[in-house]
Amino acid sequence: ADAGVITAPRTLVVHGCDVIADGLAAAAARALNREVERDLSSPWTGLSIDGARLALTDGRAASELAALRGSADIAVFDRFDPSNSSARPLAYAVAEGADEAWQKLVPAWLAALGFVPVRLADMPGLVVARTLAMLINEAADAVGQGVCSAAGADAAMKLGVNYPQGPFEWLAAWSAEGVVSILDALDAHYRGERYRASPWLRRQAQNVRLRQERNAARHGSCAKR
């Protein structure tokens, strides 16, 4: 398949209920010129395309997910800002052993969804997700130790190093649970102190999980993170 040229699949489902899943659903609807099916209760975010899986990274390598799933036709992509509608580079990795047709379809789908696909080696966390998770974790550790407030950390990173957003602003657009998931996967792969989630951030993730469980029990659906 040429980049950006896709054939309508037999089945396509957008999984997840976060803002990235919403962005993927809107982009897929534009690419196919029709509404797309969604699975809002899915534990992962991404697209299933005729049984193959194009998933937002959760920190694990595509090959690890493929081994757990029992199918090599899986690829992972990096985090992106769904509010930015312009074409922007998006890193992705394909599981080892994926067939050639799937390796060609992955960049074609990403291009059709409005991205400029950049293939990377199959490494845990890719680039943006790994970097943001580490920045958020360091800021959370500083807040947990009373070094600064969340607002102070955001101001310092924006004014001091010219970041477009502060770590807690990125956290608000993501979720503590999602960040801890990335860090735990990286920690399991590399070992050592570098990727260990701060106690403050882990408490926030536990609080989010409890709220989601209560909401699911009341409403029977997942809550936006």
Side-chain angles (χ1 to χ4, degrees):
D2 294 330
V5 179
I6 55 173
T7 302
R10 296 185 300 276
T11 60
L12 182 143
V13 180
V14 177
H15 293 256
C17 66
D18 57 10
V19 293
I20 286 186
D22 293 344
L24 292 172
R30 288 193 298 269
L32 296 173
N33 197 30
R34 62 175 171 81
E35 291 298 311
V36 296
E37 183 181 349
R38 297 197 60 175
D39 182 351
L40 298 176
S41 64
S42 181
W44 60 281
T45 295
L47 287 76
S48 58
I49 305 165
D50 290 338
R53 185 173 291 189
L54 182 55
L56 174 66
T57 179
D58 66 357
R60 293 176 290 183
S63 297
E64 181 181 351
L65 296 174
L68 292 171
R69 188 168 178 253
S71 170
D73 287 345
I74 185 168
V76 293
F77 59 88
D78 217 341
R79 289 195 67 80
F80 64 88
D81 179 3
S83 66
N84 181 2
S85 59
S86 61
R88 63 278 200 198
L90 184 67
Y92 75 96
V94 181
E96 184 178 352
D99 66 37
E100 188 175 346
W102 177 239
Q103 293 188 51
K104 292 180 178 179
L105 276 175
V106 171
W109 267 101
L110 292 177
L113 293 172
F115 301 102
V116 178
V118 179
R119 184 168 182 172
L120 299 182
D122 186 21
M123 58 184 182
L126 296 175
V127 178
V128 175
R130 175 199 296 243
T131 302
L132 290 184
M134 291 177 67
L135 290 171
I136 291 168
N137 192 47
E138 290 297 324
D141 202 37
V143 169
Q145 295 184 41
V147 174
C148 63
S149 66
D154 282 343
M157 297 307 289
K158 290 189 290 185
L159 299 176
V161 293
N162 201 31
Y163 280 10
Q165 290 182 283
F168 290 95
E169 291 172 333
W170 276 315
L171 177 60
W174 193 347
S175 74
E177 192 176 20
V179 175
V180 169
S181 175
I182 293 281
L183 292 168
D184 284 348
L186 290 167
D187 184 53
H189 182 83
Y190 291 107
R191 300 297 181 186
E193 295 290 330
R194 187 178 188 189
Y195 298 108
R196 187 162 298 169
S198 77
W200 185 94
L201 188 61
R202 198 173 291 281
R203 284 196 301 274
Q204 302 307 307
Q206 290 169 346
N207 292 337
V208 169
R209 192 176 303 113
L210 289 173
R211 287 198 300 271
Q212 289 174 346
E213 290 172 355
R214 287 196 294 267
N215 288 339
R218 286 199 298 266
H219 306 296
S221 63
C222 65
K224 298 285 184 181
R225 291 176 174 82

